[in-house]
Amino acid sequence: MQRYIISRTFQSLLLLLGVLIIIFFMVRLTGDPATLMVARDAPEEVREAFREKMGFNRPMIVQFSDYLFGIVQGDFGESLHFDQPALEIILERLPATFQLATVALLFAIVVAIPIGIIGGSNPGSPLDSLGRTLGLLGQTIPNFWLALILILIFAVNLGWFPSFGRDKTISVVLPAIALGFASMGQLVRLTRSAVLEIRNEDYIRTARSKGISTLRIGAKHVFRNAALALISVISIQYSYLLGGSIYIETIFSWPGLGNLLQQAVDGRDFPLVQAIAFFISFFVIALTLLTDVVYALIDPRIRYSR
Amino acid sequence: MKPILQVRDLITRFYSVDGVVHAINGVTFDLYASETLAVVGESGSGKSVTMMSLVGLIPMPPGKVEGGQALLEKGDGHLDLLSLSDDQLRHVRGGQIGFIFQDPISSLNPTMTIGQQIAESMTEHLGLSQAEARSSTIKLLRNVGIPDAEKRYNAYPHHFSGGMRQRVMIAIAVACEPKIVIADEPTTALDVTVQAQIVDLVKRLQDQMGMAVAWITHDLGVVAGIADRVLVMYGGTVVESARVDDLYEDPHHPYTIGLLKAIPRLDESGNDETEKLTSIEGTPPDLYQELTLCPFAPRCDYVFDRCWQQLPPLIQVDDQHSAACFYDVKRGEPRDDIE
Amino acid sequence: MTTAAPPVDFDQFEEQTWKTRLAYVTRLLLRDRGGTLGFILFILIVLTALLAPVVSPQDPLEQNLRAAKQPPAWEEGGSWEQPLGTDTLGRDMLSRIIYGTRVSLTVGFFGVLIAGTLGMVAGLTAGYLGGRVDSVIMGVVNVFLAIPYLVFVVVVAAILGRNLINVILIFGITDSPIFARVTRGEVLRIRESGYVESATSAGAGTARILFDHILPNLIGPLITLATFEMSAMIFYEAGLSFLGLSVPPSIPSWGNMLQVGRQYLTIYPWIATWPGVAIAITALSFNLLGDWLRDVLDPRLRRSRN
């Protein structure tokens, strides 16, 4: 199993490198990064000066290795607008995004998993129909629209929650629900189908033939095997939440990375954009690696492989 | 000797979108204490479904036990299994009736140690504590021939070979020393050499614990080796029931006769190399139809008009020997003494 | 000893004309209420897009400042000339929604076409050739999948500029990894199942194997995937429009409308409501259709119908 962990870590580093390459070249897609970052009507001398300053005239290899070494040392470039190292700004905004994604995930888990388990164990029951409806709703309602509707109803009309900002503790509720709704839908569907599938497995028949209690079958036989499938799904959802918060953060003026990205894109602050893209990718890759390791530790078939 | 299990007119149906499957159509048999009853038949004949129906192990949304009685002897009386609620049946499962299933790979929970899978039966039915169950399980593991039992208690199913896993399954089945063990084709998925070991193991445990074994199989070779009595099933009904020697030497039902003839024998073909292997013509019955005729009629060499009109009941033809057939194969003429 | 086989009625294998096949599929469809609904909605939406000029009551681009900011017909101040109300420039909401169908379906359809083609080719190559080629292709695929989709799409859209073709290209390229993975998975599964081996041993060449054995089995899962991805692309396009990164505001798109609607959410809530409903209904249709397709196409490959 140790070999597995080491090889997965190595793979992740390679992935990270690949991501870095893509991010590096994204900005150079149009050939001249200066045109992207400098005002449209700026005269050529301004652009040329900019190119010199940012080192865009050097050979690609030199630019890339500079970039790479910079990152390894923690230098992600300077934001054009904030006049600060990109890293600083990102670290400032990071906690907000993590908080939002985590609360959204918790919301999704707490609602979806019980419904999925009960629904999957009693197919056709009212609770199961509820679960399937939620699953469908999660896939059909766009989260940015849901955010607007939630604001309209709960913030403006009922006044229960603030409609923007992160000042109060309850500020996180509406954004988290809007962000987590789609994940909740996915989780209900997948939990339900995992439970349904497992219930048809032979070892459940064996468990029932032993006459042990339904509760015990559910907990030790069904759930343990379902948990394995669910861990992957939850991790994927968390990645999605971390990387997909841009709309919600923008609508709710939530001071996180998504919001920052939108501002940076709007202001054509591409060094910052690159840094944010890299950071979010980094977290996603790290999360995936962590999940694979946890999975390897939990699944006896991998943990104790001969 | 009184039977410990008396099944009368069991009827089980499965309701699906494509129609109603009449899986079991009036099955009647007895099971005596400490005997080995072989239940023989082809796939679809209802061997497994019969046994599973007794303790409510068939999938209940599509499936439904619709008639009959299953009287389990209990102390000074009987318990009709078919009238029990699922909760009550739980006590019977594992405690009074144990199961061995066919495919040990998929029949064991991959995320639980084998020790726990055996012990949980004991804690449930025998009221043992965790520690007591553990030591009993280790003893049991040794009994079924698993070496290094104490270490293996904490091992997972994927650490074992097929034969070893089946021993674990057997341990699970006998953990609470049930009165009856139902073995559903336990050797079919195993290598031939391992098969013999498993058969011996079950026999040994049976002698030790005195339980009755219902051995479901489609392999007549296994039957000859271990059975006291045999039940032959076809189309969801019992077509013949006899002591093992009587069945082989004096079969009365055309299906049984066909089965026995189909076994290739080295001493029969003589020098004629062109002689074909015998097989039974035709295909198994369509279970979507309700059974109002003899299920074997389309394939029977001795069929006559009554066979198409009525389901033949089990008729006693000898001591401990019945066959469900309107034709008397010994005399070569239809029976006239049944109403 | 005979082996049991279910009674086979050979009469059913009569010549299968397109008529009998169509009848069979129709019966399958009508059995599943969800699928039927999805299909009907799908046809309606496609027809709306194609017949937009005919169906829509007014010109979506025509500004009518006197009728600006009008609520839906059933509210006070509304009129049945503009049944769903008007936006800030007096343009009829219903007409804009109808025309918005065109943008969404175009993006969805062509985006999936590109993604599917690219992905299928990549996946086929990787799966069929195996070895180094497989590692390289899947490596690239995995790198693209590691970057959070939204982040990637937003950044590239910002770089390339506001233009329908760009959007379609972006979606086409960024979504192809998913198609590649699924294709490769299917190819591998088919290879393992042995009938490629038997075909090869019977002397079939590569092209033959590809066309006769592999492609027919790919169609099912890929069509199902395409349906779901179309729905996802419609979401993403709307989201991009919402951030001002997709089609220019002169073209009526649901995302554009939502962007405007957001600013006037509390005063003229209908401007934001209707586009969201339109997106949800479209997504519903595709999801229901996709679910039905999956049930119909996959089980034939995997489970036996019993």
Side-chain angles (χ1 to χ4, degrees):
Chain A
M1 184 188 71
Q2 270 173 334
R3 254 184 312 156
Y4 176 74
I5 295 185
I6 293 177
S7 85
R8 274 295 289 121
T9 313
F10 186 63
Q11 264 179 25
S12 301
L13 287 173
L14 278 181
L15 268 184
L16 210 50
L17 185 62
V19 167
L20 211 55
I21 295 177
I22 291 187
I23 291 181
F24 177 77
F25 280 103
M26 259 192 330
V27 195
R28 292 160 174 78
L29 261 181
T30 52
D32 180 16
T35 8
L36 272 183
M37 308 191 205
V38 176
R40 293 283 158 86
D41 46 0
E44 182 55 29
E45 311 91 60
V46 175
R47 270 193 233 153
E48 189 53 38
F50 187 73
R51 275 189 220 116
E52 277 302 316
K53 176 174 158 223
M54 303 290 285
F56 289 149
N57 286 328
R58 300 173 297 162
M60 246 355 141
I61 296 288
V62 178
Q63 289 188 50
F64 184 69
S65 37
D66 250 11
Y67 185 58
L68 187 57
F69 283 121
I71 295 222
V72 168
Q73 291 168 353
D75 173 15
F76 288 85
E78 292 243 337
S79 158
L80 297 176
H81 282 239
F82 290 95
D83 223 7
Q84 272 176 283
L87 184 59
E88 261 179 44
I89 315 170
I90 291 178
L91 289 179
E92 262 173 32
R93 306 288 195 112
L94 203 53
T97 299
F98 263 105
Q99 180 197 11
L100 182 59
T102 311
V103 175
L105 187 68
L106 286 175
F107 159 70
I109 291 178
V110 164
V111 173
I113 293 193
I115 295 183
I117 291 182
I118 301 180
S121 308
N122 304 294
S125 64
L127 203 58
D128 185 34
S129 305
L130 172 66
R132 296 172 67 195
T133 311
L134 280 178
L136 199 58
L137 283 179
Q139 283 186 295
T140 56
I141 297 184
N143 66 7
F144 39 90
W145 184 65
L146 180 63
L148 294 177
I149 300 292
L150 285 177
I151 290 180
L152 196 58
I153 300 179
F154 292 101
V156 175
N157 283 347
L158 290 174
W160 291 349
F161 299 97
S163 62
F164 61 86
R166 198 189 167 205
D167 315 318
K168 311 194 203 135
T169 330
I170 52 167
S171 297
V172 77
V173 173
L174 289 186
I177 294 181
L179 183 61
F181 194 75
S183 294
M184 187 265 298
Q186 271 287 73
L187 271 178
V188 171
R189 283 183 143 216
L190 286 159
T191 309
R192 180 184 177 269
S193 76
V195 169
L196 265 180
E197 221 183 276
I198 289 175
R199 284 178 79 240
N200 281 327
E201 294 278 353
D202 284 344
Y203 53 85
I204 299 296
R205 177 185 55 175
T206 308
R208 293 190 64 218
S209 79
K210 287 191 256 190
I212 54 182
S213 69
T214 322
L215 192 60
R216 200 188 154 94
I217 295 183
K220 293 233 153 183
H221 293 264
V222 175
F223 187 68
R224 273 203 197 180
N225 287 282
L228 288 181
L230 285 181
I231 287 179
S232 302
V233 177
I234 290 181
S235 156
I236 293 177
Q237 289 304 313
Y238 198 44
S239 300
Y240 162 77
L241 291 172
L242 280 175
S245 59
I246 184 171
Y247 302 132
I248 305 295
E249 289 192 14
T250 307
I251 294 176
F252 283 94
S253 300
W254 184 264
L257 284 182
N259 199 343
L260 188 63
L261 182 62
Q262 191 266 330
Q263 287 176 0
V265 159
D266 226 22
R268 313 191 76 71
D269 186 353
F270 280 98
L272 186 56
V273 168
Q274 282 180 296
I276 298 175
F278 176 77
F279 250 87
I280 299 185
S281 306
F282 171 75
F283 283 122
V284 168
I285 294 178
L287 186 62
T288 316
L289 177 61
L290 191 64
T291 311
D292 283 348
V293 169
V294 167
Y295 196 94
L297 286 174
I298 295 188
D299 186 345
R301 284 167 287 197
I302 303 180
R303 183 170 167 205
Y304 297 115
S305 51
R306 293 189 277 182
Chain B
M1 210 184 16
K2 257 201 352 180
I4 50 166
L5 181 67
Q6 291 172 295
V7 177
R8 299 281 175 267
D9 296 312
L10 178 65
I11 296 183
T12 302
R13 299 202 180 113
F14 289 89
Y15 293 86
S16 75
V17 254
D18 296 317
V20 183
V21 180
H22 300 265
I24 308 294
N25 301 299
V27 162
T28 297
F29 67 92
D30 289 335
L31 182 65
Y32 294 90
S34 306
E35 74 161 349
T36 302
L37 176 70
V39 183
V40 194
E42 28 186 70
S43 317
S45 56
K47 336 186 272 294
S48 300
V49 178
T50 303
M51 299 304 168
M52 310 281 250
S53 301
L54 298 177
V55 286
L57 273 185
I58 53 170
M60 291 296 206
K64 207 158 171 253
V65 175
E66 303 213 326
Q69 284 184 311
L71 302 173
L72 179 69
E73 193 208 303
K74 204 158 189 215
D76 55 350
H78 288 221
L79 204 57
D80 182 6
L81 297 176
L82 301 181
S83 68
L84 297 182
S85 70
D86 194 62
D87 238 353
Q88 293 163 315
L89 277 173
R90 264 210 310 116
H91 296 296
V92 174
R93 292 183 209 133
Q96 313 279 327
I97 303 183
F99 281 84
I100 304 172
F101 293 108
Q102 177 177 351
D103 192 353
I105 303 176
S106 55
S107 297
L108 292 174
N109 185 344
T111 58
M112 222 169 141
T113 63
I114 54 127
Q116 279 178 326
Q117 294 191 51
I118 300 173
E120 67 178 346
S121 214
M122 294 183 185
T123 43
E124 178 75 37
H125 296 289
L126 305 177
L128 301 182
S129 71
Q130 296 274 34
E132 287 165 347
R134 191 196 146 96
S135 64
S136 292
T137 302
I138 294 178
K139 267 193 236 146
L140 183 55
L141 284 174
R142 287 196 196 110
N143 198 358
V144 298
I146 292 182
D148 245 343
E150 236 189 281
K151 278 200 213 140
R152 300 281 191 126
Y153 182 94
N154 294 316
Y156 288 88
H158 67 277
H159 289 138
F160 293 82
S161 69
M164 286 288 153
R165 278 192 211 117
Q166 200 56 301
R167 290 176 194 262
V168 171
M169 276 254 41
I170 293 173
I172 292 177
V174 304
C176 305
E177 300 203 13
K179 293 201 190 94
I180 302 175
V181 168
I182 298 181
D184 193 347
E185 305 211 41
T187 53
T188 311
L190 302 172
D191 295 334
V192 179
T193 43
V194 180
Q195 275 184 24
Q197 292 173 0
I198 298 297
V199 170
D200 283 341
L201 174 61
V202 175
K203 257 219 124 30
R204 182 163 62 75
L205 289 172
Q206 191 181 14
D207 290 337
Q208 255 179 18
M209 302 181 188
M211 47 204 188
V213 175
W215 195 293
I216 302 175
T217 178
H218 60 260
D219 184 347
L220 289 172
V222 167
V223 172
I226 52 160
D228 297 316
R229 289 192 309 127
V230 184
L231 219 57
V232 181
M233 288 191 68
Y234 188 84
T237 63
V238 176
V239 295
E240 188 155 3
S241 152
R243 281 194 287 252
V244 62
D245 295 329
D246 291 340
L247 192 85
Y248 279 85
E249 285 161 23
D250 193 21
H252 275 72
H253 194 281
Y255 177 57
T256 318
I257 297 173
L259 276 186
L260 292 171
K261 259 208 256 174
I263 303 175
R265 295 179 55 146
L266 290 175
D267 58 348
E268 262 180 8
S269 53
N271 284 320
D272 187 353
E273 287 167 355
T274 61
E275 188 172 316
K276 293 195 297 189
L277 291 175
T278 335
S279 63
I280 308 181
E281 297 281 314
T283 51
D286 177 10
L287 294 173
Y288 281 96
Q289 307 295 326
E290 191 164 345
L291 217 53
T292 48
L293 70 171
C294 174
F296 192 63
R299 306 168 77 177
C300 186
D301 288 336
Y302 308 97
V303 66
F304 63 101
D305 48 358
R306 191 167 186 195
C307 306
W308 300 96
Q309 295 156 357
Q310 203 187 341
L311 180 63
L314 272 173
I315 302 156
Q316 177 132 30
V317 298
D318 207 339
D319 176 38
Q320 288 270 328
H321 192 158
S322 354
C325 186
F326 290 127
Y327 195 86
D328 189 338
V329 291
K330 296 298 149 184
R331 287 212 211 96
E333 56 181 24
R335 289 182 197 279
D336 49 13
D337 49 348
I338 330 157
E339 45 47 55
Chain C
M1 190 78 203
T2 54
T3 48
V8 178
D9 175 14
F10 286 106
D11 287 341
Q12 68 182 293
F13 295 137
E14 20 159 291
E15 188 67 32
Q16 288 206 322
T17 61
W18 67 267
K19 270 199 219 140
T20 55
R21 290 220 174 118
L22 190 60
Y24 176 60
V25 173
T26 315
R27 250 184 303 135
L28 276 180
L29 181 61
L30 290 174
R31 262 207 230 173
D32 181 351
R33 281 182 309 175
T36 314
L37 179 62
F39 186 70
I40 294 178
L41 283 178
F42 176 71
I43 297 288
L44 283 177
I45 294 172
V46 170
L47 284 178
T48 311
L50 291 174
L51 301 174
V54 173
V55 179
S56 97
Q58 307 204 1
D59 179 352
L61 300 175
E62 183 187 318
Q63 304 179 9
N64 181 353
L65 291 168
R66 268 184 303 124
K69 307 166 196 171
Q70 235 178 287
W74 53 87
E75 293 199 15
E76 215 189 291
S79 123
W80 282 100
E81 295 224 336
Q82 294 97 0
L84 297 180
T86 62
D87 66 4
T88 50
L89 295 175
R91 296 178 290 197
D92 174 35
M93 295 290 301
L94 180 58
S95 309
R96 288 179 70 78
I97 298 260
I98 291 177
Y99 270 82
T101 326
R102 291 188 152 183
V103 173
S104 297
L105 285 187
T106 311
V107 170
F109 181 70
F110 286 103
V112 160
L113 197 60
I114 296 178
T117 316
L118 277 179
M120 193 171 76
V121 169
L124 265 177
T125 321
Y128 198 69
L129 294 178
R132 285 270 177 81
V133 177
D134 184 17
S135 307
V136 167
I137 294 185
M138 287 324 283
V140 172
V141 165
N142 284 328
V143 170
F144 273 95
L145 284 175
I147 306 182
Y149 192 73
L150 204 47
V151 171
F152 193 50
V153 161
V154 165
V155 173
V156 178
I159 292 174
L160 293 181
R162 299 182 79 153
N163 178 321
L164 189 61
I165 309 258
N166 283 343
V167 171
I168 294 178
L169 276 177
I170 294 174
F171 285 154
I173 297 178
T174 53
D175 219 28
S176 54
I178 303 181
F179 282 90
R181 249 204 201 164
V182 170
T183 308
R184 176 179 177 271
E186 278 302 302
V187 172
L188 286 181
R189 194 185 61 85
I190 295 172
R191 273 177 68 187
E192 318 259 299
S193 72
Y195 58 108
V196 170
E197 241 180 84
S198 46
T200 323
S201 63
T206 313
R208 190 85 177 291
I209 295 182
L210 270 177
F211 281 104
D212 282 350
H213 294 283
I214 299 186
L215 277 178
N217 283 292
L218 280 180
I219 294 186
L222 284 185
I223 289 190
T224 311
L225 185 63
T227 315
F228 287 115
E229 291 303 303
M230 255 197 275
S231 169
M233 278 187 194
I234 293 177
F235 266 39
Y236 282 114
E237 188 284 320
L240 277 186
S241 291
F242 182 73
L243 292 178
L245 292 172
S246 176
V247 292
S250 50
I251 303 182
S253 97
W254 295 336
N256 275 342
M257 293 162 75
L258 272 174
Q259 183 190 34
V260 173
R262 176 192 169 201
Q263 296 169 303
Y264 299 99
L265 185 63
T266 47
I267 349 173
Y268 316 122
W270 59 88
I271 303 181
T273 319
W274 301 121
V277 171
I279 297 176
I281 293 181
T282 310
L284 180 69
S285 142
F286 279 99
N287 274 292
L288 286 177
L289 199 55
D291 275 343
W292 174 73
L293 280 174
R294 189 196 359 232
D295 281 341
V296 157
L297 295 171
D298 279 352
R300 263 201 303 204
L301 301 175
R302 317 250 166 111
R303 290 170 254 140
S304 57
R305 296 204 59 217
N306 239 326

